[in-house]
Amino acid sequence: QVQLVEFGGGLVQPGGSLRLSCAASGRIFSINAMAWYRQAPGKERELVATITRYGTTKYADSVKGRFAISRDNAKNTVYLQMNSLKPEDTAVYYCNAGRATSIPPYDYWGQGTQVTVSS
């Protein structure tokens, strides 16, 4: 089994930046694609960004130009750099990973980390 643990959430002012990290442990050989989801109170979970093992990325329209997903395969870690943050970005952010090479969600989930954007 694979375990995912997120780090880096917190409170930030509008226009600020945060960098989220997600470290995988366990049977990490089963991981191929990785992704970030988020869920705001009262709203459904939405896909934020995906990245393949080889670095191909995709983004939700709402975060294009502001967020960047990356990964370090040697460290079994995926990152989400968030810039120009808006109050609308406030949500619990979830790391998602698995062996699938197709569309997410993938096999494993982190417990989530809270991001709050407020003045």
Side-chain angles (χ1 to χ4, degrees), residues 4-42:
L4 304 175
V5 180
E6 298 97 337
F7 302 92
L11 176 64
V12 64
Q13 296 183 14
S17 298
L18 282 175
R19 188 184 189 223
L20 305 183
S21 301
C22 172
S25 62
R27 304 185 73 177
I28 55 178
F29 56 83
S30 66
I31 294 177
N32 186 12
M34 305 187 80
W36 288 96
Y37 280 79
R38 67 185 182 185
Q39 186 167 21

Side-chain angles (χ1 to χ4, degrees), residues 44-66:
E44 65 181 1
R45 186 174 55 194
E46 66 173 343
L47 179 63
V48 176
T50 63
I51 186 168
T52 70
R53 182 176 296 275
Y54 307 102
T56 300
T57 60
K58 295 182 179 180
Y59 297 92
D61 288 342
S62 59
V63 306
K64 285 182 179 177
R66 299 190 298 120

Side-chain angles (χ1 to χ4, degrees), residues 2-9 19-25 28 31 33-37 51 69-81 93-98 108-113:
V2 172
Q3 293 181 320
L4 304 175
V5 180
E6 298 97 337
F7 302 92
R19 188 184 189 223
L20 305 183
S21 301
C22 172
S25 62
I28 55 178
I31 294 177
M34 305 187 80
W36 288 96
Y37 280 79
I51 186 168
I69 187 172
S70 62
R71 65 190 292 169
D72 185 337
N73 292 334
K75 296 175 62 177
N76 302 305
T77 299
V78 63
Y79 306 93
L80 186 67
Q81 178 67 47
Y93 284 71
Y94 296 93
C95 182
N96 180 229
Y108 309 106
W109 291 93
Q111 79 286 353
T113 185

